[in-house]
Amino acid sequence: METISGLFRRQWPAVACGGLLWLGAFGAGWHWAPTDPTGVSLAPKEGDWELFTEILARNVGVSAALFLGVVTFGVMTIPLTLLTGVLAGYYWGQGSAVLGARGVVRHLLPHMPLELACLALAAAAGLVPLVAFARAGLTRSGGDAEKAGLLARAGLPDACRLWGVALAGLVVAAGIETWVST
């Protein structure tokens, strides 16, 4: 049975690319976010299963869009990662400006690191075929049949495993956001 650490060791270039792309876009969105509280509600939400389902559905939807870039061999993951990362950073940045430091620690920090890491991992999963293809082209070792086998073996199965890890983390993050951060 393969371990998660073995998966990460094998797919570290895709994980690094997905993380840099997602977190860079998130940081840009956060930086450009206005400090105007327009559209930000400070009304507390009650932690319940309905809120948990809403949060989880939103995050799984974003992660699915990022992951489904594998259908285009990772190419569509790039613009989707930039778009969703900037939008998420924008909204979180606006929320943090309204909440202040104490509110960020209380309402964002408990779930934010895990949620962001899982979304970056979903982006990495979507980039696996593109990164595997680039690595195969850069190493120029083996014949075309061997490279095609590499893409088949390291591409979709690893992408699915990475996305599975991301989904598991998003379930935990949604639970923390629902019952701790609210």
Side-chain angles (χ1 to χ4, degrees), residues 5-22:
S5 64
L7 176 63
F8 282 114
R9 273 195 302 277
R10 188 173 51 258
Q11 292 299 335
W12 72 266
V15 172
C17 289
L20 288 173
L21 197 60
W22 169 261

Side-chain angles (χ1 to χ4, degrees), residues 102-180:
R102 174 178 264 166
V104 167
V105 169
R106 168 67 180 97
H107 298 288
L108 297 180
L109 201 55
H111 68 278
M112 183 177 166
L114 180 59
E115 186 175 302
L116 293 181
C118 291
L119 290 171
L121 193 57
L127 290 172
V128 165
L130 182 64
V131 172
F133 182 72
R135 288 175 73 186
L138 290 174
T139 59
R140 299 189 195 269
S141 62
D144 289 337
E146 185 178 323
K147 286 181 184 177
L150 168 72
L151 290 174
R153 286 190 315 273
L156 189 57
D158 277 0
C160 291
R161 289 181 190 106
L162 284 174
W163 191 45
V165 172
L167 289 175
L170 286 174
V171 170
V172 173
I176 294 169
E177 185 174 353
T178 301
W179 288 290
V180 176

Side-chain angles (χ1 to χ4, degrees), residues 65-82:
L66 297 171
F67 171 72
L68 285 177
V70 299
V71 173
T72 61
F73 300 101
V75 173
M76 284 307 298
T77 297
I78 295 170
L80 287 170
T81 300
L82 293 174

